[in-house]
Amino acid sequence: MSLQHQHFLVIDNGGTNTKVVILDENGRQLSVVSFPTEAIERRPGFREVNPTQMWRDIGKATKSALETAGLRGEDITGVVPVGHGKGLYLLDRDAKPSMDCILSSDSRAADLATAFENRVGEIYPISHQHVMVMQFPVLLRWIKENEPDKYRSIGHVLSNKDFIRYMLTGVIREERGDASGNNLVNLESGEYDPRLFEFFGIPEMQANMPDLVNATDRCGSITGEASANTGIAQGTPVYAGMFDIDACALATGVLDDDLFSVTAGTWNINVFPSTAMAPQSSGCMNSIFPTGDVLVEASSPTSAGNLDNMLRMLSKDKTQAVDYSQLENMLNSTDARFSQNIFFPFLYGSNVNLGAEGCLIGLRSSDSLEQVLRSVYEGVVFAHRQHVDQLLKVLGHKPKAIRISGGACNSPAWVQMFSDVLGIPVETVAVTELGGLGGAICAAVGSGCYGSFKDAVDHMTVVSRRFEPDPEQTAIYDRKYEAYGALLKVLDQGWNVLRGMQGELEV
């Protein structure tokens, strides 16, 4: 097959939307088909997805993407799954998906996570990870304590994209980047460590962990059953893939610490590749990046997903589509002085206290809906700034620029706000679906189309726009951010009281 005929199909399964993206070897986006990741919320704090419905929806979207691109299944060079990190996707002992899968925005195990994090010094020298509520071992321990029958039925433990790859190939493997972000891998050896399973009280689960592979490794081929569901030709190579943090960093050309990668989507993700690990005191996470470096990460579920949720809550007609152009006009016609409200974007979780909830402070009788909505945009960026500040302390200086991805990129005014709040230039890239581009870069390296990630990025990633910070706006945001931080300190002792009250009133 000649170089100009390389086509890579990426299944990018996010916590809010799932997309099938087809790109060529130049990074040109040929088609995108998207559908909502239908979350099931059977109890407060629970966010799950039905695997049968997910697989059916992926099949429909894949066939549609092929049709839109004018391609046949035989035209696909390689397939790569990209998925949200953390959460939990389980197979039973017969390798069947016997229960609903847990999304990364699930918070059922918050109390367990707090208890483990209070002892994190015991394992940080091994995993170089803090404990998060949606990590494998925390959720597994919760199932062990609360749903023991389900726990005993577990045969295989997978990440989101590894589960999708299993559905495509029938091969059960776990990719190192995802595994290392889940507090079960020794970051020095790159392998599972029994001390971590012991720490979380799930030693028996190590036997259920799949063999580890690297992002560009070939992990089987499209099966006949998967071909019937997706339209991709049987025998098409499938590569291990990566979680979306890695994919977005690669897609935006972030290969070293000259640049930060910021993803503003369902999750608030801020990372840079490094040759050295961040210390425990930084509050940062470390994981294995596909290049072999360490990815230093500061993240939480406090980003752009909060805007969509607030718009839904404030809408009179829940079925009416949101007019984002109207919101963009509002942002462009106002500035940092417009709203004096402070919004904490904690509708799906927090980056300050596991018990913290979404909150709007400073509301006055004279305030308009537009002022409230602008405060939501700002609150999301302030939550990102908290994490970027963590990264800056680790690195010791500002990066040359930030490369941004995620839903916020659909709003140039919001991207400008990121630059103003952070006081750092922010750049966007030409392709809109960055998880898809990152997956395609992975497939291009795995298939031998390019010899290295740098070579692939040089050919496939194009910076399209640069946003410079406005010093006047930055000064105003600095003052607002000071208030944001001060209020969080005041509220710190109250969140658990609120959580206790909510628990008592739950039916």
Side-chain angles (χ1 to χ4, degrees):
M1 183 178 290
S2 61
L3 187 63
Q4 65 265 29
H5 292 117
Q6 303 280 313
H7 301 118
F8 306 110
L9 186 146
V10 180
I11 300 169
D12 181 6
N13 192 193
T16 303
N17 292 295
T18 299
K19 300 166 185 176
V20 176
V21 191
I22 301 177
L23 305 97
D24 66 14
E25 78 289 343
N26 296 312
R28 189 167 60 100
Q29 198 166 279
L30 305 179
S31 68
V32 180
V33 174
S34 175
F35 62 88
T37 304
E38 296 289 354
I40 303 164
E41 300 189 29
R42 55 189 171 99
R43 285 169 54 188
F46 285 52
R47 286 182 60 79
E48 300 171 333
V49 64
N50 181 276
T52 302
Q53 182 65 46
M54 180 179 74
W55 179 234
R56 187 181 303 123
D57 290 340
I58 286 172
K60 291 178 183 176
T62 301
K63 289 177 178 176
S64 180
L66 287 167
E67 183 178 356
T68 302
L71 297 172
R72 301 167 303 154
E74 294 78 8
D75 296 325
I76 299 301
T77 307
V79 179
V80 173
V82 168
H84 67 77
K86 307 174 179 67
L88 195 62
Y89 289 71
L90 301 172
L91 301 174
D92 64 19
R93 298 187 186 283
D94 295 321
K96 302 295 183 184
S98 59
M99 63 189 78
D100 286 339
C101 307
I102 301 176
L103 293 167
S104 60
S105 51
D106 190 280
S107 61
R108 74 186 69 186
D111 292 337
L112 270 175
T114 300
F116 285 127
E117 177 62 20
N118 289 338
R119 300 168 46 212
V120 74
E122 299 173 31
I123 60 167
Y124 198 89
I126 304 169
S127 67
H128 297 272
Q129 290 259 307
H130 286 273
V131 179
M132 301 184 78
V133 66
M134 71 301 295
Q135 286 174 329
F136 279 6
V138 180
L139 290 168
L140 287 168
R141 177 62 180 271
W142 187 95
I143 295 171
K144 182 177 182 177
E145 291 185 359
N146 294 275
E147 298 177 345
D149 289 342
K150 284 186 178 181
Y151 187 79
R152 285 189 290 269
S153 74
I154 296 172
H156 307 276
V157 180
L158 292 166
S159 300
N160 167 267
K161 61 97 176 52
D162 300 286
F163 177 87
I164 292 171
R165 190 180 61 252
Y166 164 69
M167 299 299 286
L168 294 169
T169 65
V171 176
I172 301 174
R173 298 287 186 273
E174 175 72 14
E175 182 264 331
R176 275 189 173 79
D178 250 332
S180 67
N182 266 297
N183 235 326
L184 290 178
V185 168
N186 183 318
L187 225 63
E188 300 286 350
S189 68
E191 304 295 337
Y192 299 119
D193 194 305
R195 293 171 292 177
L196 298 172
F197 291 85
E198 290 282 354
F199 174 81
F200 288 105
I202 54 168
E204 59 281 347
M205 272 298 134
Q206 186 169 358
N208 297 326
M209 299 304 300
D211 291 341
L212 293 168
V213 293
N214 296 322
T216 55
D217 288 347
R218 179 170 175 173
C219 297
S221 306
I222 296 293
T223 64
E225 182 182 353
S227 177
N229 186 58
T230 64
I232 306 167
Q234 184 174 350
T236 302
V238 180
Y239 299 92
M242 64 196 84
F243 71 138
D244 50 14
I245 297 175
D246 289 345
C248 288
L250 289 176
T252 52
V254 177
L255 297 176
D256 57 39
D257 61 15
D258 280 344
L259 300 167
F260 283 2
S261 170
V262 167
T263 303
T266 303
W267 268 69
N268 168 348
I269 299 165
N270 314 269
V271 301
F272 70 92
S274 174
T275 56
M277 299 179 198
Q280 179 183 339
S281 60
S282 69
C284 293
M285 310 282 277
N286 300 277
S287 62
I288 298 169
F289 196 50
T291 62
D293 283 341
V294 170
L295 192 71
V296 179
E297 171 194 348
S299 63
S300 58
T302 57
S303 195
N306 280 265
L307 176 65
D308 289 333
N309 201 312
M310 286 295 291
L311 290 170
R312 187 168 60 251
M313 283 193 279
L314 295 170
S315 173
K316 293 178 182 177
D317 182 357
K318 308 297 183 187
T319 63
Q320 185 176 355
V322 176
D323 186 349
Y324 286 101
S325 63
Q326 204 170 32
L327 291 170
E328 189 73 359
N329 290 337
M330 180 272 291
L331 293 177
N332 281 320
S333 62
T334 60
D335 67 7
R337 296 182 181 276
F338 179 63
S339 173
Q340 287 80 53
N341 309 137
I342 296 292
F343 176 74
F344 296 129
F346 304 156
L347 299 180
Y348 299 107
S350 163
N351 57 357
V352 292
N353 183 315
L354 286 174
E357 305 278 5
C359 186
L360 181 66
I361 294 180
L363 195 62
R364 303 168 181 172
S365 62
S366 58
D367 286 338
S368 65
L369 176 61
E370 288 76 14
Q371 287 171 302
V372 169
L373 290 176
R374 183 167 180 115
S375 75
V376 174
Y377 281 93
E378 293 176 354
V380 166
V381 188
F382 290 153
H384 274 273
R385 178 167 168 175
Q386 286 183 287
H387 288 318
V388 170
D389 285 348
Q390 288 177 273
L391 298 184
L392 292 175
K393 287 179 182 177
V394 173
L395 184 59
H397 59 83
K398 287 186 176 182
K400 293 178 180 177
I402 285 172
R403 298 272 175 87
I404 194 167
S405 57
C409 292
N410 295 319
S411 167
W414 206 355
V415 177
Q416 180 63 54
M417 187 185 292
F418 270 86
S419 181
D420 293 339
V421 171
L422 300 174
I424 301 171
V426 176
E427 297 174 338
T428 58
V429 301
V431 168
T432 57
E433 300 303 334
L434 293 172
L437 176 56
I441 288 171
C442 177
V445 175
S447 66
C449 177
Y450 295 114
S452 68
F453 283 110
K454 185 180 185 307
D455 195 17
V457 165
D458 287 345
H459 284 87
M460 300 175 75
T461 297
V462 177
V463 174
S464 61
R465 190 169 175 185
R466 182 178 172 97
F467 297 77
E468 298 286 349
D470 180 331
E472 290 185 9
Q473 293 292 295
T474 299
I476 298 170
Y477 282 128
D478 284 346
R479 182 68 185 90
K480 297 175 87 168
Y481 183 67
E482 182 183 353
Y484 181 95
L487 287 167
L488 284 178
K489 289 180 181 178
V490 171
L491 289 168
D492 191 56
Q493 298 304 312
W495 296 120
N496 290 335
V497 177
L498 175 64
R499 186 178 177 85
M501 176 272 290
Q502 291 171 331
E504 291 171 8
L505 297 181
E506 279 181 12
V507 178

